[in-house]
Amino acid sequence: MPNRDDSAESKNLRPYSAVRLIAVTAILISFLVAATAGMLAVSYRESLRQEMVNLRNVSIAFAAQTLSVVQAVDQAMVQAERAYRKAPADPVIDYFDDARAAQDYIIGIHLFDNDGQLVASGAPDAPPIPAAAPPRSVSAPAVRPVNV
């Protein structure tokens, strides 16, 4: 059996050279960086895909809600038109007497004639609004120059 001694020659011996250790370490680090970058890229693409699905679902829900509101408001306007055509001199807007679809979205229905005069109005749980006098012309206050 060979005898091991602590001579200077045995201290200088390394199982691998420094260049080889540095090269192997650099290759391992580059593999780890590449694997991390790959996982981040896959995760990013999956997140984008999920966000696209979420936004598509939200847009579908928003479009459906908007369509139902527009249809309900359109129906209320058709009813106001029918009330006016039935009795142009004294139309009655009774839209809010029954539970209707657009009551959650409409504060009131006001019917004006061609001259801009209020002919009829209706609001939920409120008395009808009387026709108001035409607005007066409003002039701006005079501006006086300021001496500095």
Side-chain angles (χ1 to χ4, degrees):
M1 211 163 146
N3 191 7
R4 293 189 177 203
D5 58 346
D6 291 333
S7 66
E9 184 179 318
S10 66
K11 287 186 179 179
N12 289 335
L13 294 178
R14 296 183 184 159
Y16 302 105
S17 68
V19 174
R20 186 173 177 186
L21 286 175
I22 291 172
V24 169
T25 304
I27 289 172
L28 286 175
I29 290 173
S30 64
F31 280 138
L32 289 174
V33 167
T36 303
M39 286 195 279
L40 286 175
V42 168
S43 176
Y44 178 73
R45 279 189 229 110
E46 180 63 25
S47 296
L48 283 180
R49 189 193 66 74
Q50 186 64 36
E51 280 303 311
M52 286 173 46
V53 168
N54 288 344
L55 288 175
R56 185 179 67 232
N57 291 343
V58 168
S59 68
I60 290 169
F62 185 72
Q65 180 67 22
T66 302
L67 179 65
S68 66
V69 169
V70 168
Q71 287 174 340
V73 170
D74 184 56
Q75 185 62 33
M77 300 311 294
V78 167
Q79 283 188 324
E81 178 188 13
R82 286 182 187 151
Y84 181 72
R85 291 191 188 277
K86 189 189 302 182
D90 189 25
V92 176
I93 299 177
D94 59 354
Y95 180 79
F96 295 102
D97 292 346
D98 302 328
R100 304 284 170 91
Q103 285 186 356
D104 294 337
Y105 313 111
I106 297 177
I107 296 173
I109 299 174
H110 307 286
L111 186 61
F112 294 89
D113 63 5
N114 290 337
D115 297 326
Q117 300 295 321
L118 182 64
V119 176
S121 67
D125 297 332
I129 301 170
R136 296 179 289 147
S137 63
V138 178
S139 60
V143 178
R144 293 185 221 142
V146 177
N147 295 332
V148 182

